[in-house]
Amino acid sequence: MDLHFTEEQLMMRSMVQDFARTEIEPLIPSMEAGEFPRSIINKMAKLGLMGITIPEKYAGVGMDFISYIIAIHELSKVSATIGVILSVHTSVGTNPIVYFGTEDQKQKYVTKLARGELLGAFCLTEPGAGSDAANIKTQAVLKDDHYIINGSKAFITNGGEADVYIVFAVTDPQTGNKGISAFIVEKTTPGFIIGKDEKKMGLHGSKTVQLTFENMRVPIENRLGKEGDGFKIALSNLNIGRIGIAAQALGIAEAALNSAIYYAKERKQFGKTIAEQQGIAFKLADMSTAVEAARLLVYRAAHLCALEESCAKEVSMAKLFASKTAVQVATDAIQIHGGYGFTEDYPVERYFRDAKITEIYEGTSEIQQIVISKYLLR
Ligand code: CAA
């Protein structure tokens, strides 16, 4: 596998790095205070980032999949909040319509999502169905030319802020995961109720809400794919979502490593910098090795996804390892900062708080182990 980026990818990387430094970094305090970064989303839209992989025909910039992963990785080095907003909007908010939508659905929704005029979200998880995604209870009943949808969704990233939601609901309760269908739902639909805004350990600028659907009438033309296609649509797009989260975790891990190296070279104890003390130097060596291994797994999986080859196992391996690395490296970075690492004066405590969720959302580490072992043992 070639890890050398093309000229175009390198240009895009440097543009995203500049953008993150000049536009995102100054807004970190407001995001940490819980403010949703709408102005950043508008600026990302102007740069084409909200439609980075979407074909030009649907108002995207039509860049390759590796460029998208580079963007999530670089944005997440500065702000994991921005990383997840873009990842969810693209991978599970917009892509399902690109891959499974009708031409009318693409013209109506993808063009606006790609331009960043609309923000996307994904509604699979429910209060009683997280890892066991096939066990959702939200029901969609066809009545004339509308589906009547009733149920609740939990932990919806971009929820309340997003305009368009890919909603999964049961249309045939007798057939298990083959009875789930997908729908494109607009926030303004009567019966779409925004509930609790979760107070989270990290990702403070990103919204995570509960949603309730009460006799929500969704036109039949907003069903995505055929009845019963929903679980397939959810899982195939989750692969693309998971590699985005793996790239987010890689960005957090790299940021934590860089902070630890910088601090270790500045901080003096016992008459020399702590970097010159073997206990710290060896820790940095291990952290850096883990980050490098995560990078290889993430870009290898992204490369397979870009070739549109089967990539579920490699994506799960990348997410499993990169998320574990992010948590471990952020923990070690705090340790290297000592007491200062436990304060808000240094960014490492934020990296630690943001890292943990990468082991949980878009499939917990245990779900990634299920996916990997199923492929190994079949
Ligand atoms: N990619 C493509 N297809 C997949 C797949 C994958 N990663 N995983 C499973 N499938 C396919 C299987 O091959 C199977 O296909 P066939 O019926 O054609 O054989 C079908 O899906 C059903 O698979 P299983 O029989 O294994 O189904 P299951 O009910 O036992 O569950 C699971 C499988 C892997 C546990 C699945 O339920 C799962 O991934 N759960 C985790 C859910 C999840 O990731 N939720 C994240 C929520 S979204 C989120 O967090 C977004 C956010 O806001 C940040």
Side-chain angles (χ1 to χ4, degrees), residues 3 73 250 254 290-300:
L3 248 197
H73 173 191
L250 175 62
E254 220 174 301
V291 169
E292 210 47 48
R295 188 197 321 278
L296 292 172
L297 282 173
V298 168
Y299 281 98
R300 182 182 73 131

Side-chain angles (χ1 to χ4, degrees), residues 84 88 92 122 124-125 130-134 155-157 177-178 231 235-236 238-239 242 245 312 361-363 367 370-371 374-375:
V84 73
V88 167
V92 287
F122 180 81
L124 178 64
T125 303
S131 291
D132 187 6
F155 302 120
I156 304 306
T157 302
N177 67 32
K178 302 270 188 289
F231 202 59
L235 289 184
S236 58
L238 269 174
N239 286 333
R242 287 169 182 170
I245 299 306
Y361 61 16
E362 305 229 2
I367 289 295
I370 290 176
V371 174
K374 271 192 179 169
Y375 276 88

Side-chain angles (χ1 to χ4, degrees), residues 72 76 79-88 122 125 130-131 154-158 200 202-203 206-208 238 241-249 252 319-320 323 353-368:
I72 301 287
S76 301
S79 166
T81 281
I82 299 297
V84 73
I85 291 172
L86 182 61
S87 175
V88 167
F122 180 81
T125 303
S131 291
F155 302 120
I156 304 306
T157 302
N158 292 346
K200 309 188 295 290
L203 297 183
S206 134
K207 285 288 167 220
T208 309
L238 269 174
R242 287 169 182 170
I243 186 64
I245 299 306
Q248 181 201 30
I252 299 170
K319 183 178 183 290
L320 178 67
S323 58
R353 289 186 289 101
D354 288 350
K356 184 58 203 172
I357 191 63
T358 66
E359 291 189 309
I360 299 171
Y361 61 16
E362 305 229 2
T364 61
S365 293
E366 293 75 11
I367 289 295
Q368 309 313 323

Side-chain angles (χ1 to χ4, degrees), residues 89-294:
H89 165 82
T90 309
S91 63
V92 287
T94 307
N95 275 354
I97 314 178
V98 176
Y99 295 140
F100 295 95
T102 61
E103 191 55 32
D104 283 352
Q105 290 170 339
K106 290 181 200 180
Q107 291 299 343
K108 183 168 180 191
Y109 294 108
V110 174
T111 50
K112 290 185 180 156
L113 288 158
R115 284 194 212 104
E117 292 164 11
L118 299 177
L119 186 66
F122 180 81
C123 303
L124 178 64
T125 303
E126 298 187 355
S131 291
D132 187 6
N135 200 25
I136 58 170
K137 299 288 180 238
T138 294
Q139 284 235 351
V141 177
L142 184 61
K143 196 155 182 282
D144 305 324
D145 55 355
H146 279 72
Y147 283 90
I148 312 295
I149 302 186
N150 280 288
S152 299
K153 297 288 174 181
F155 302 120
I156 304 306
T157 302
N158 292 346
E161 296 290 341
D163 309 279
V164 173
Y165 297 73
I166 309 297
V167 170
F168 297 88
V170 176
T171 42
D172 179 1
Q174 310 307 323
T175 50
N177 67 32
K178 302 270 188 289
I180 295 173
S181 303
F183 301 89
I184 306 168
V185 175
E186 297 179 20
K187 180 167 72 171
T188 49
T189 312
F192 181 102
I193 300 161
I194 300 164
K196 184 176 168 216
D197 180 0
E198 304 290 354
K199 298 287 164 259
K200 309 188 295 290
M201 169 180 171
L203 297 183
H204 285 166
S206 134
K207 285 288 167 220
T208 309
V209 305
Q210 292 183 11
L211 296 175
T212 304
F213 310 133
E214 269 182 24
N215 293 324
M216 183 172 73
R217 279 166 60 83
V218 175
I220 195 165
E221 62 267 22
N222 277 31
R223 193 187 65 223
L224 194 55
K226 296 195 294 294
E227 270 202 10
D229 280 354
F231 202 59
K232 188 176 77 186
I233 294 175
L235 289 184
S236 58
N237 284 288
L238 269 174
N239 286 333
I240 304 300
R242 287 169 182 170
I243 186 64
I245 299 306
Q248 181 201 30
L250 175 62
I252 299 170
E254 220 174 301
L257 172 66
N258 291 342
S259 294
I261 293 172
Y262 183 84
Y263 185 82
K265 285 160 82 176
E266 293 285 307
R267 173 79 171 162
K268 286 198 173 118
Q269 290 290 281
F270 305 106
K272 54 184 176 182
T273 67
I274 60 171
E276 290 171 282
Q277 325 225 14
Q278 203 176 57
I280 300 298
F282 279 13
K283 198 185 274 299
L284 288 169
D286 284 348
M287 291 158 73
S288 160
T289 305
V291 169
E292 210 47 48

